[in-house]
Amino acid sequence: MMSRSRWDVNTVEHGKIPWSAKLGYSTFSLSYVMQTMIGTWQLFYFTTFLQIPVVATTALLAAGKIVASVIGPAWGYISDRMYSTALGRRFGRRRSVMIIAVPLNAACYVLMWVPGLPIWAYFTASLLYWVFLAGLSTIQYGLPSEMTDNPSQRAQLVGINQIAGAIGSTFLSLFNVYLFTIWGKDEWSPYFKMAMIYGVIGVGVLIIGFLTIRERPYDESTDVAQADAAPGRRSGLVKRLISIVWNFLSVIRVREFRNYLGLYLCEQCFRSIRGTINTYFVIFVLLLDPQTVSLATGVNTLFGIACVALFMWVTSKVGGPRAYRIGGFEVVLVFLSLFVLAWFSPQLSSHTKAIAFIVLGLFMNFGITGVVNATQYTYTFIPDVDEIITAKRREGQYASVNATIDDIFAAIETVAIGWVLDATGFIEGTQTQPASTVTAIAVMYCIAPIVLCLAGIMFTYRMRIDRDSHRVLLSEIDRLRAGGTMSDVTPEVRKAVESMTGMPYERCWGHNNIIDAKHQE
């Protein structure tokens, strides 16, 4: 059996990965100009120009996310085991998934913007778009842990990922302002042409990512497929389906992953609510024009890029949970200020409201940058916690579960927004809305995120993993991988492992049924 290899000739603590690989990882976020276009304009496009009822539209969008959430664990299961196929051995586990998912995702994206199709065609295209995006999301979530064990390098990957996403969002927003100026904004065609431009960009950068990302060197001792092939374990389709479901459920048993999910879901949900109805808030509550949406988003994300560098340093110094709290409390204050702005909106001029919205957005992006950076940095440690439990590497499994739970909550949130808008009298295809709808939009946009952000802050006090405990964890993994015995563990290491895993030390290192329900070694 091959011995476990860390990274080249460098140590875990000081080893570095090439900048080409770091920039390659950032292309996943750059490709989200496609998803940003969907998140910013599709609900508005469908209800305003295609005249699809808002309830049907939100249900259509939610259905794709629900199916993606179901298929997500399968992507993670397959991705972790792609070395057992010729395609995986030729291109690597993660790249082989990209070969399948990228072109199919792009084709479905295009269909979502073609006017004149029946609703079932939009439904199918949206559903498949999210299915294949789930495969790409699985890769993106897992790559920081896949590419390096070094916490500093992971922090850089997380920061670069955020900067790339901000650049992509800024480019889309500011470029949209220009395109609205030359193409107009009152017909369907400008939105369609913009969507096609971003589709080409998204696919192009993913091709660059395919050529430059780095995968963990293959090691037979950490290969999950080897555990599947252990003597006495049945194979076949039924067994695989059972294993997919079991592996999905098994990760929830890991204490630190449950704590992380609290941080992540609160952060993701409040940002998703803000993104979904941001256009409605600007147009129907503040009574500003669509260009303001794009201009504000572009200016704010440019400021956010500068904040990333700051929070990369802050997070590495104080840890993910504390950095989350710093950003979270600032976000709460900004949302309170936005609610005040909405309350006094009828008494203010458009010029005053536009300036106030952009300025508050600058402060908002500072806080959101901290919350997102802290959450993503914390996640990179979770597959290492899993390794001390299973003695295997399952980046894909955790990435898919992360994406799945994200999709489930996103679907619930999308449907809930649609129900609230419909219940308060939302009217499709108009530039104004009833007072009840305006109030509902303001409450959803401002108050719901405050509640979610405060809940995420509460979870930060439950987290146990930081840079020091992570170093202890990796040292123990290396000791056991080198042939050390579990009986020689020190009390300090035992306590640290048990606090992160949520299970007795003796049940770690594969002495459990985490991977296989019938395995009780």
Side-chain angles (χ1 to χ4, degrees), residues 151-186:
S152 297
Q153 294 294 291
R154 289 181 181 178
Q156 286 189 22
L157 287 171
V158 169
I160 291 170
N161 181 59
Q162 281 187 270
I163 291 173
I167 290 173
S169 179
T170 301
F171 170 78
L172 180 144
S173 301
L174 297 181
F175 192 44
N176 277 359
V177 173
Y178 171 73
L179 294 180
F180 278 136
T181 301
I182 63 175
W183 288 340
K185 60 180 184 296
D186 298 325

Side-chain angles (χ1 to χ4, degrees), residues 138-153:
T138 295
I139 298 172
Q140 183 184 21
Y141 283 129
L143 276 177
S145 300
E146 174 89 22
M147 294 173 71
T148 178
D149 285 331
N150 188 319
S152 297
Q153 294 294 291

Side-chain angles (χ1 to χ4, degrees), residues 46 58 110 146 173-174 194 199 205 229 357 432 453:
F46 275 27
T58 53
V110 170
E146 174 89 22
S173 301
L174 297 181
M194 286 188 291
V205 296
F357 183 71
T432 59
C453 199

Side-chain angles (χ1 to χ4, degrees), residues 159 162-163 166-167 170 299-313 365-366 369:
Q162 281 187 270
I163 291 173
I167 290 173
T170 301
V299 172
N300 293 341
T301 48
L302 278 174
F303 179 73
I305 293 174
C307 295
V308 171
L310 171 63
F311 270 101
M312 285 172 60
W313 177 81
N365 263 36
F366 175 81
T369 297

Side-chain angles (χ1 to χ4, degrees), residues 74 84 86 146 157 261 332-333 336 341 355 393 418 425 461 499 501:
S84 62
E146 174 89 22
L157 287 171
L261 280 180
V332 169
L333 292 176
L336 284 173
L341 177 64
I355 293 176
R393 294 298 304 187
Y461 291 99
S499 69
T501 62

Side-chain angles (χ1 to χ4, degrees), residues 259-275:
N259 292 332
Y260 157 77
L261 280 180
L263 270 66
Y264 176 75
L265 290 176
C266 291
E267 167 255 312
Q268 192 70 4
C269 284
F270 91 70
R271 290 199 303 124
S272 182
I273 290 173
R274 178 190 179 228

Side-chain angles (χ1 to χ4, degrees), residues 442-455:
V443 171
M444 286 191 294
Y445 188 85
C446 301
I447 305 303
I450 290 174
V451 174
L452 288 166
C453 199
L454 291 175

